[in-house]
Amino acid sequence: RKYSKMSKLRGADRLKGTEKNVWVEFGKLAVDYKALNLGQGFPDFKPPQHVIDKMVHAVDGSENALLSQYTRSYGHPRLVNVLAKLYSPLTGQTLDPMNNITVSVGAYGVLFCAVQGLVNPGDEVVIVEPYFDCYEPMVKVAGATPKYVPIRPIKKEGVLSSDDWKLDPVELESKFSAKTKAIMINNPNNPVGKVFKKEELEMIAGLCKKYDCICISDEVYEWMIYDDNKHIKIASLPGMWERTITLGSAGKTFSATGWKLGWGVGPDHLIKPMQILHQNCIYTCPTPIQEAVAEGLEYELSVQDNKEECYLTSLALELKPKRDALAKSLVEIGMIPTIPEGGYFMMADISKLNIDIPDDGTKDPYDFKFVRWLCKEKRLSVIPPSAFYNQEHKNLGEKFVRFCFIKVRT
């Protein structure tokens, strides 16, 4: 039965325009065509054994019966305590585990708590493109207006580095105004793999201070940094701690995306609204998962001086050969890769392939049509990057596709 627009038996108006989801479509397409899935961002191997062992012990080996019951709403005490130890030196702060950290269902959940807990209807939020696709709908559902500014490749020929993708300072500031409540950045960036340099972060920080706004910094790929690049937390820059929420992820840190556990780190005046939002929608996260992640991080801290034993550093050492192997293969078949400095995604320019893609009956950008064709005809699933741009800028992404090289065999 179809209900009229005046009927009360329908969804909330604020959800309009957020219905489409790239993961739903292309995840299903990969399954339907039994394609090799080098698209979605999850590993095809187990987390480190010591973390698995901690999970098993938390569920079935511990004498503590409370590990199967509710734990503290804003984060299991053991977990927030080790997170405080981990992030205090990285942010240059002495973190209070109870007031400077909140835990939710994945970084996705933390991001939702940040946007819904801190952004008001009528506010404006600057979003750096390409962005993880949930940023835009989250801002719109909060009743705010997104303002978009892309990083663009400044190099026009040959293989690129993600460092060749730059923000234009003038264009960036043009998106700020008295209405700006926050800026959302992803560092390292998904899908480009850009690790923002100190001077770039200082430029963003300067605007945050000038316009008195919050920085929501999504740093879930913080441990996957290659070559001689260094990941700098924008929260560690002068004057930025008090206005920054830093997002982290157990799923990305321990290659356990299905565990869906994430955290936000920041000053108490920004964390508290997120905790209020969290307690009224999620309330708490699974206790055994939090216990296992806590014990896993405790172990990582104990071996952090050993780069090959500490998973926080060894994962990047394992991924770098995969990154390089994929880049080599893409060049050989006529694609032009952007070599990422961080994360486990690689953008590849497909414009030189000159493949005539049959019309699929949609008005979607070229990369969407190319990826559908690639999955159906070649049984290879990747992701169309124009999904990470707003409608006005989708042309900036449609000559690329995104690969997830964590699944590459070397």
Side-chain angles (χ1 to χ4, degrees):
R1 178 181 176 182
K2 294 183 179 179
Y3 296 98
S4 72
K5 292 183 179 180
M6 299 301 294
S7 172
K8 296 178 181 179
L9 307 181
R10 56 190 178 88
D13 290 342
R14 64 180 177 274
L15 299 181
K16 290 179 180 178
T18 68
E19 298 88 352
K20 290 188 70 173
N21 185 287
V22 66
W23 315 111
V24 172
E25 175 183 352
F26 290 99
K28 182 178 185 300
L29 201 64
V31 172
D32 289 348
Y33 286 87
K34 297 180 174 58
L36 173 64
N37 191 343
L38 293 183
Q40 286 180 278
F42 57 85
D44 58 355
F45 51 83
K46 289 183 178 181
Q49 190 60 46
H50 73 89
V51 181
I52 294 176
D53 292 342
K54 299 301 183 185
M55 173 72 93
V56 173
H57 184 260
V59 172
D60 195 39
S62 175
E63 295 181 1
N64 184 357
L66 293 180
L67 291 181
S68 291
Q69 309 307 325
Y70 297 131
T71 188
R72 175 176 172 269
S73 175
Y74 315 128
H76 188 49
R78 186 170 187 174
L79 177 57
V80 293
N81 272 282
V82 70
L83 287 172
K85 292 178 182 177
L86 177 64
Y87 283 97
S88 286
L90 297 175
T91 57
Q93 304 291 321
T94 301
L95 299 182
D96 178 344
M98 299 300 163
N99 295 306
N100 294 145
I101 299 169
T102 192
V103 176
S104 193
V105 182
Y108 223 104
V110 181
L111 188 63
F112 180 81
C113 291
V115 175
Q116 300 298 321
L118 298 171
V119 175
N120 292 307
D123 286 341
E124 294 180 354
V125 177
V126 178
I127 301 178
V128 175
E129 296 176 303
Y131 52 79
F132 190 56
D133 66 307
C134 68
Y135 293 4
E136 179 180 12
M138 283 188 183
V139 168
K140 288 182 174 179
V141 168
T145 300
K147 297 289 184 176
Y148 309 95
V149 58
I151 53 174
R152 292 184 171 91
I154 59 173
K155 184 179 175 183
K156 303 302 181 183
E157 295 293 333
V159 174
L160 282 70
S161 162
S162 57
D163 188 43
D164 293 320
W165 293 63
K166 302 288 187 181
L167 277 170
D168 182 309
V170 175
E171 183 180 20
L172 177 61
E173 183 163 11
S174 73
K175 306 301 178 180
F176 283 76
S177 72
K179 294 182 179 181
T180 305
K181 182 64 178 285
I183 181 173
M184 300 176 73
I185 64 172
N186 186 197
N187 181 31
N189 176 271
N190 169 19
V192 174
K194 179 178 178 63
V195 177
F196 285 85
K197 301 298 185 285
K198 185 177 181 180
E199 56 270 22
E200 294 175 306
L201 294 174
E202 287 174 337
M203 175 182 65
I204 296 169
L207 292 172
C208 288
K209 288 181 281 188
K210 181 177 179 178
Y211 291 90
D212 190 27
C213 64
I214 298 166
C215 180
I216 301 173
S217 187
D218 179 352
E219 302 181 9
V220 297
Y221 303 102
E222 61 191 312
W223 304 111
M224 294 165 235
I225 308 296
Y226 309 112
D227 306 317
D228 296 323
N229 294 291
K230 183 180 180 182
H231 182 261
I232 299 171
K233 294 191 174 300
I234 195 169
S236 70
L237 299 184
M240 286 305 291
W241 164 252
E242 58 264 34
R243 60 179 67 254
T244 302
I245 293 294
T246 302
L247 275 65
S249 165
K252 299 300 189 295
T253 297
F254 285 133
S255 302
T257 59
W259 289 21
K260 288 299 293 179
L261 196 71
W263 46 79
V265 178
D268 54 1
H269 58 271
L270 297 182
I271 290 293
K272 185 60 178 178
M274 295 170 59
Q275 292 179 336
I276 293 171
L277 196 289
H278 173 86
Q279 75 186 16
N280 289 315
C281 64
I282 303 297
Y283 177 64
T284 191
C285 297
T287 307
I289 297 176
Q290 295 191 71
E291 177 79 2
V293 170
E295 289 195 72
L297 289 174
E298 288 169 358
Y299 175 78
E300 298 303 324
L301 285 175
S302 73
V303 297
Q304 61 182 334
D305 293 332
N306 186 331
K307 288 188 176 182
E308 294 187 356
E309 185 174 353
C310 178
Y311 198 74
L312 301 183
T313 49
S314 68
L315 180 58
L317 298 176
E318 293 177 26
L319 293 185
K320 185 177 181 294
K322 297 186 177 190
R323 179 198 70 171
D324 296 344
L326 176 61
K328 182 175 182 292
S329 296
L330 295 179
V331 170
E332 290 173 351
I333 63 174
M335 295 187 187
I336 305 171
T338 291
I339 310 300
E341 302 159 293
Y344 48 57
F345 300 109
M346 184 179 295
M347 292 268 275
D349 186 333
I350 56 176
S351 61
K352 304 293 185 183
L353 296 179
N354 295 318
I355 297 176
D356 186 19
I357 304 300
D359 183 10
D360 64 3
T362 73
K363 296 182 180 179
D364 288 336
Y366 177 80
D367 58 329
F368 269 76
K369 297 179 180 183
F370 179 88
V371 170
R372 291 184 188 118
W373 171 84
L374 190 67
C375 187
K376 294 175 182 178
E377 300 298 326
K378 305 299 181 182
R379 302 297 190 268
L380 176 61
S381 176
V382 294
I383 293 296
S386 66
F388 304 133
Y389 291 84
N390 85 96
Q391 191 62 43
E392 181 184 351
H393 292 154
K394 287 193 181 298
N395 63 297
L396 299 178
E398 67 175 342
K399 73 172 186 176
F400 297 94
V401 294
R402 189 197 79 165
F403 289 87
C404 177
F405 61 82
I406 199 169
K407 307 173 189 183
V408 170
R409 294 285 181 264
T410 56

